[in-house]
Amino acid sequence: MDIHGYMAQLKEEIDQQLIAVIACPTETPLLVEAMCYSVENGGKRLRPILLLMMLEAFGYHCQKGMHAAVALEMIHTYSLIHDDLPAMDDDDLRRGQPTNHKVYGEAVAILAGDGLLTEAFHVLAKDKGLPVETRLELIQLLSATAGAQKGMITGQALDIQAEGKKVNLMALKHIHELKTGRLIEFACLAAGMIAKQPPEIMSKLSQFAKRLGLAFQIQDDILDVEGDAEKMGKPVGSDASKRKSTYVSLLGLAAAKQMLADEIEAALSLLDDLPIKSDRLKALTHYVAKRAH
């Protein structure tokens, strides 16, 4: 099976688990509907797929990490709901569909994001397939990588502070290492935790995740310049219209593409240093650089 077929297979399994977790009987059906709306609205599921692929590469069945994968995607989806709000990026479209607040209003959208965030930790806590110690480690890791102390939230805050300003390359990389890279890092480190890997391997997993996360963001910036709006599900050129610093605006398109190639090469080299079956992970790494949306 090629990488696209295998990713589609994992995505289907993740989607089924996500809806099973979220779509439960409740006193607030509109809230559940809003949560499901954003979860079901497309998405590549790259982060949870990476977690499951990494776990398989260590010789474990992917179901061993399904709860962690679902929790990770819930955190990612909540961040997108809040990111689209008028007080943040004020976006009308997400993956070609109206954003959550455009459909359900700002109050329900905020609560839908809050619900996904909170339930993510519930999903991890009740994973009876893992030892209690591992569950606690995963909860601690997810709260750190998503949180306000050198986590995704820190990156979001720095990104807002940088709007309308020209930041240097080092500052831009720091923003994206947090905003984009930290949840990708969770995917890799969570697999390592479940597979009980030693500190030296965990360090290499972290390095790989940082390279892959940066490559992902560079490709995002490139697509914002020369991508297909129909495939992306949002207008091209939105970064420039919001006066955001990007790798393309700082380096130029050709240099940004070279930086992307360098990060992908470094990520692939790190995979070679890991005691894993890396073919699928290498294919996924190439996919990150070549994706069209």
Side-chain angles (χ1 to χ4, degrees):
M1 187 183 299
D2 67 11
I3 189 62
H4 297 285
Y6 191 63
M7 287 177 69
Q9 178 181 308
L10 289 179
K11 181 182 183 302
E12 184 177 351
E13 294 179 30
I14 293 162
D15 288 348
Q16 290 173 357
Q17 293 295 323
L18 276 166
I19 297 305
V21 166
I22 298 167
C24 298
T26 176
E27 296 180 60
T28 53
L30 183 64
L31 175 61
V32 172
E33 182 183 322
M35 292 164 68
C36 288
Y37 175 80
S38 287
V39 165
E40 292 179 314
N41 184 16
K44 297 176 286 296
R45 310 295 190 226
L46 177 69
R47 293 155 188 81
I49 286 172
L50 173 60
L51 192 159
L52 298 182
M53 278 192 183
M54 185 66 76
L55 192 55
E56 285 187 327
F58 280 116
Y60 286 72
H61 195 284
C62 68
Q63 286 299 321
K64 195 80 172 174
M66 188 58 73
H67 281 74
V70 166
L72 173 57
E73 188 64 15
M74 291 170 76
I75 293 284
H76 175 58
T77 304
Y78 116 76
S79 74
L80 299 181
I81 295 174
H82 284 189
D83 202 38
D84 289 335
L85 289 166
M88 300 277 279
D89 281 355
D90 194 16
D91 283 325
D92 295 340
L93 292 175
R94 168 72 63 180
R95 299 164 182 155
Q97 299 296 322
T99 47
N100 198 294
H101 68 275
K102 286 293 179 180
V103 178
Y104 296 98
E106 290 181 44
V108 172
I110 291 169
L111 291 173
D114 292 345
L116 288 167
L117 166 63
T118 308
E119 286 299 312
F121 292 99
H122 185 205
V123 169
L124 280 178
K126 67 181 183 181
D127 183 2
K128 299 294 177 63
L130 295 176
V132 172
E133 295 81 4
T134 304
R135 282 182 258 167
L136 287 173
E137 288 175 351
L138 290 170
I139 289 169
Q140 183 180 26
L141 177 64
L142 186 56
S143 60
T145 53
Q149 295 183 14
K150 297 186 181 301
M152 177 188 67
I153 296 299
T154 311
Q156 291 275 27
L158 290 172
D159 191 42
I160 290 172
Q161 291 175 21
E163 282 188 15
K165 302 174 184 176
K166 187 170 183 178
V167 300
N168 61 37
L169 185 60
M170 184 179 295
L172 188 64
K173 287 175 70 174
H174 180 59
I175 289 171
H176 292 143
E177 182 179 310
L178 299 173
K179 180 181 176 181
T180 305
R182 288 292 268 155
L183 290 189
I184 291 175
E185 189 176 9
F186 174 84
C188 296
L189 294 180
M193 282 180 176
I194 295 169
K196 300 181 175 18
Q197 293 302 301
E200 60 270 20
I201 299 300
M202 296 296 282
S203 176
K204 288 180 180 179
L205 289 174
S206 179
Q207 293 173 51
F208 166 74
K210 288 175 181 177
R211 296 289 192 173
L212 188 66
L214 183 53
F216 184 93
Q217 186 60 53
I218 296 169
Q219 178 65 355
D220 255 12
D221 289 356
I222 292 170
L223 288 172
D224 192 65
V225 173
E226 61 176 21
D228 184 325
E230 187 173 339
K231 289 181 180 178
M232 293 171 63
K234 62 180 182 179
V236 173
S238 61
D239 288 338
S241 67
K242 294 171 184 174
R243 296 193 300 146
K244 281 191 172 185
S245 291
T246 68
Y247 295 99
V248 176
S249 68
L250 288 184
L251 302 174
L253 187 58
K257 288 182 177 181
Q258 183 58 55
M259 185 177 178
L260 171 62
D262 292 343
E263 293 302 323
I264 291 296
E265 184 179 351
L268 293 170
S269 178
L270 284 161
L271 286 177
D272 285 333
D273 286 341
L274 291 168
I276 58 173
K277 297 178 180 178
S278 61
D279 288 352
R280 283 176 172 164
L281 286 167
K282 286 183 176 181
L284 180 66
T285 301
H286 284 296
Y287 164 81
V288 165
K290 296 176 181 177
R291 63 195 171 88
H293 58 87

